Amino acid sequence: MSKTKRRTAVKVLNNSGDRRAAPGKPSIAWQNKDITSKYFGENLKGKSFAVYGLELPEIKEVQPTNLPAIEANELRLDHLFLLKDDSLALVDYESTYADSNKIKYLNYIVRTLKRNMEQHHFPCKIRMIVIYTADIQPQQTKERMDIGCLQFQLEEAFLIQKDSEQTEARLQARFQGNQELSAEEQMEFIILPLTCKGNEEKQACIRRCFEMAKLLEDADMQRFLLSGMLVFADKVITKEDSKQIKEWIMMTKVGQLFEEEKIQYGREIEKNVTKSVTKTNELKFSKILLHAGLSIEEISNAMTVLTTDDIRKIAERMNPTPDIRKADPKSKTPQQADGASKF
């Protein structure tokens, strides 16, 4: 290699690892745009993708996903892992399929290989893994591409083959019983929202997973699971949910407990306000029904907040004379009672 080319390669390599952003551009965290990826990555060692249906060695190390390129743009894949057999696993997940995506994957592979050659001076074994959300069926994709001079093989995982409801119910029972999750169950949790079809179902699952994770007493495990879910759900999670989960991750245990108290207090206030509004409406409606001649018992059966005694008191305030009995056919006037006794 000439001195000029060597200097260019070194410059590209150094720039790819620089965390400082150019003036006017947002900074990019080392692993996946967000500091939550660090929590996730630090605890992935020893885990595997077997639970997703992929027969791969365990993860040895999480590597940076910003790939070097001579071009001005920076190409970023979803995840890059060093596995125990020293192969590199490039992981992307998709909710749609297109043959043209293979061009994107080839770019990932070429740039990953380029960085590896510059750092270690020998080619490494590279695996291109695509995890498809529950929106994609196996028959919709093609795992191979053959263009003569190049044969390209993907390793695919289809989350539609995971029973999302059964998995969630099983994990929920583990969380509620405060039981320790196995490595496989941890990997199931972080990918669980992607096993649901459609964005609405995924969003709802993300929120349920957040509530489940709150049940954990192990703060480190809680951070790992939530940060992992954020990393994998990055393309589908709303900004509001993402912000709320990130803030929770950064809180201390005391802060989390205080936040839960605030949420519970807010729910109680909302419940009381709703009950108060309902009672006000039922008071007005009861008066209308009493004027219409319905009995106290009939009106009481139609209410959700007011009791029979409440309706009776309303009727008494409206008609303090014996005429009140007209509102309740079961009640009898003194004259009626006397007449009945004569017979």
Side-chain angles (χ1 to χ4, degrees), residues 136-241:
I136 299 294
Q137 298 278 355
Q139 57 268 29
Q140 292 178 254
T141 72
K142 297 175 184 177
E143 62 181 0
R144 291 179 185 152
M145 183 175 72
D146 188 344
I147 57 173
C149 68
L150 173 69
Q151 293 182 345
F152 183 31
Q153 176 74 48
L154 298 175
E155 295 184 60
E156 299 177 318
F158 297 92
L159 297 183
I160 194 170
Q161 296 173 341
K162 301 284 292 180
D163 189 325
S164 60
E165 291 184 4
Q166 186 181 74
T167 302
E168 184 175 344
R170 175 165 46 81
L171 291 174
Q172 180 76 48
R174 302 283 285 176
F175 278 98
Q176 289 179 341
N178 197 28
Q179 298 174 321
E180 185 176 348
L181 299 182
S182 67
E184 291 77 16
E185 287 170 333
Q186 293 169 33
M187 296 298 280
E188 281 184 313
F189 178 88
I190 64 177
I191 207 78
L192 184 59
L194 301 186
T195 65
C196 300
K197 289 184 178 180
N199 279 341
E200 287 186 11
E201 284 297 320
K202 290 181 180 65
Q203 294 296 336
C205 186
I206 287 171
R207 296 184 188 108
R208 292 196 301 271
C209 285
F210 183 29
E211 294 303 317
M212 270 197 282
K214 288 180 180 180
L215 299 174
L216 280 177
E217 294 181 2
D218 186 336
D220 290 333
M221 179 58 67
Q222 187 183 87
R223 281 195 292 268
F224 167 65
L225 294 178
L226 288 177
S227 58
M229 185 180 69
L230 280 177
V231 169
F232 272 88
D234 180 63
K235 296 176 183 177
V236 296
I237 192 169
T238 64
K239 289 182 179 179
E240 293 76 14
D241 288 337

Side-chain angles (χ1 to χ4, degrees), residues 107-141:
N107 270 313
Y108 293 159
I109 291 167
V110 170
R111 297 186 186 190
T112 300
L113 181 61
K114 180 181 188 297
R115 181 168 68 185
N116 182 264
M117 291 291 289
E118 290 172 343
Q119 292 177 342
H120 305 292
H121 309 294
F122 62 88
C124 61
K125 181 179 179 179
I126 297 177
R127 307 168 187 265
M128 184 65 229
I129 298 164
V130 182
I131 299 175
Y132 292 104
T133 67
D135 308 281
I136 299 294
Q137 298 278 355
Q139 57 268 29
Q140 292 178 254
T141 72

Side-chain angles (χ1 to χ4, degrees), residues 4-280:
T4 303
K5 290 182 178 179
R6 189 179 294 111
R7 283 197 299 269
T8 302
V10 171
K11 183 177 179 181
V12 170
L13 184 60
N14 290 340
N15 286 343
S16 70
D18 192 348
R19 301 185 196 181
R20 293 172 296 179
K25 293 184 178 180
S27 59
I28 300 175
W30 182 72
Q31 285 187 41
N32 196 22
K33 306 177 186 177
D34 198 283
I35 200 65
T36 53
S37 296
K38 184 179 179 182
Y39 284 122
F40 180 49
E42 287 173 349
N43 291 275
L44 268 180
K45 293 179 182 179
K47 305 288 194 306
S48 81
F49 291 98
V51 73
Y52 307 148
L54 294 165
E55 295 300 323
L56 300 172
E58 292 179 354
I59 296 167
K60 183 177 178 181
E61 181 182 295
V62 181
Q63 300 211 334
T65 57
N66 51 321
L67 302 175
I70 299 297
E71 296 85 0
N73 67 307
E74 181 183 49
L75 189 67
R76 297 182 68 87
L77 54 91
D78 287 340
H79 310 285
L80 177 59
F81 303 105
L82 176 66
L83 305 183
K84 277 198 171 181
D85 65 349
D86 289 325
S87 65
L88 288 174
L90 285 67
V91 182
D92 235 37
Y93 81 82
E94 304 284 359
S95 58
T96 59
Y97 174 78
D99 284 333
S100 58
N101 283 341
K102 291 184 175 66
I103 305 301
K104 175 179 67 173
Y105 305 148
L106 282 171
N107 270 313
Y108 293 159
I109 291 167
V110 170
R111 297 186 186 190
T112 300
L113 181 61
K114 180 181 188 297
R115 181 168 68 185
N116 182 264
M117 291 291 289
E118 290 172 343
Q119 292 177 342
H120 305 292
H121 309 294
F122 62 88
C124 61
K125 181 179 179 179
I126 297 177
R127 307 168 187 265
M128 184 65 229
I129 298 164
V130 182
I131 299 175
Y132 292 104
T133 67
D135 308 281
I136 299 294
Q137 298 278 355
Q139 57 268 29
Q140 292 178 254
T141 72
K142 297 175 184 177
E143 62 181 0
R144 291 179 185 152
M145 183 175 72
D146 188 344
I147 57 173
C149 68
L150 173 69
Q151 293 182 345
F152 183 31
Q153 176 74 48
L154 298 175
E155 295 184 60
E156 299 177 318
F158 297 92
L159 297 183
I160 194 170
Q161 296 173 341
K162 301 284 292 180
D163 189 325
S164 60
E165 291 184 4
Q166 186 181 74
T167 302
E168 184 175 344
R170 175 165 46 81
L171 291 174
Q172 180 76 48
R174 302 283 285 176
F175 278 98
Q176 289 179 341
N178 197 28
Q179 298 174 321
E180 185 176 348
L181 299 182
S182 67
E184 291 77 16
E185 287 170 333
Q186 293 169 33
M187 296 298 280
E188 281 184 313
F189 178 88
I190 64 177
I191 207 78
L192 184 59
L194 301 186
T195 65
C196 300
K197 289 184 178 180
N199 279 341
E200 287 186 11
E201 284 297 320
K202 290 181 180 65
Q203 294 296 336
C205 186
I206 287 171
R207 296 184 188 108
R208 292 196 301 271
C209 285
F210 183 29
E211 294 303 317
M212 270 197 282
K214 288 180 180 180
L215 299 174
L216 280 177
E217 294 181 2
D218 186 336
D220 290 333
M221 179 58 67
Q222 187 183 87
R223 281 195 292 268
F224 167 65
L225 294 178
L226 288 177
S227 58
M229 185 180 69
L230 280 177
V231 169
F232 272 88
D234 180 63
K235 296 176 183 177
V236 296
I237 192 169
T238 64
K239 289 182 179 179
E240 293 76 14
D241 288 337
S242 178
K243 181 175 180 292
Q244 187 178 7
I245 295 173
K246 287 174 190 173
E247 289 175 348
W248 182 269
I249 290 173
M250 300 305 169
M251 283 182 190
T252 62
K253 190 65 178 176
V254 173
Q256 290 176 356
L257 291 172
F258 180 66
E259 185 67 17
E260 281 289 272
E261 287 293 329
K262 286 199 301 181
I263 292 171
Q264 186 61 34
Y265 178 72
R267 287 172 180 164
E268 288 296 325
I269 292 295
E270 182 181 4
K271 181 180 177 181
N272 291 336
V273 168
T274 302
K275 185 175 180 180
S276 177
V277 171
T278 302
K279 187 172 183 178
T280 300

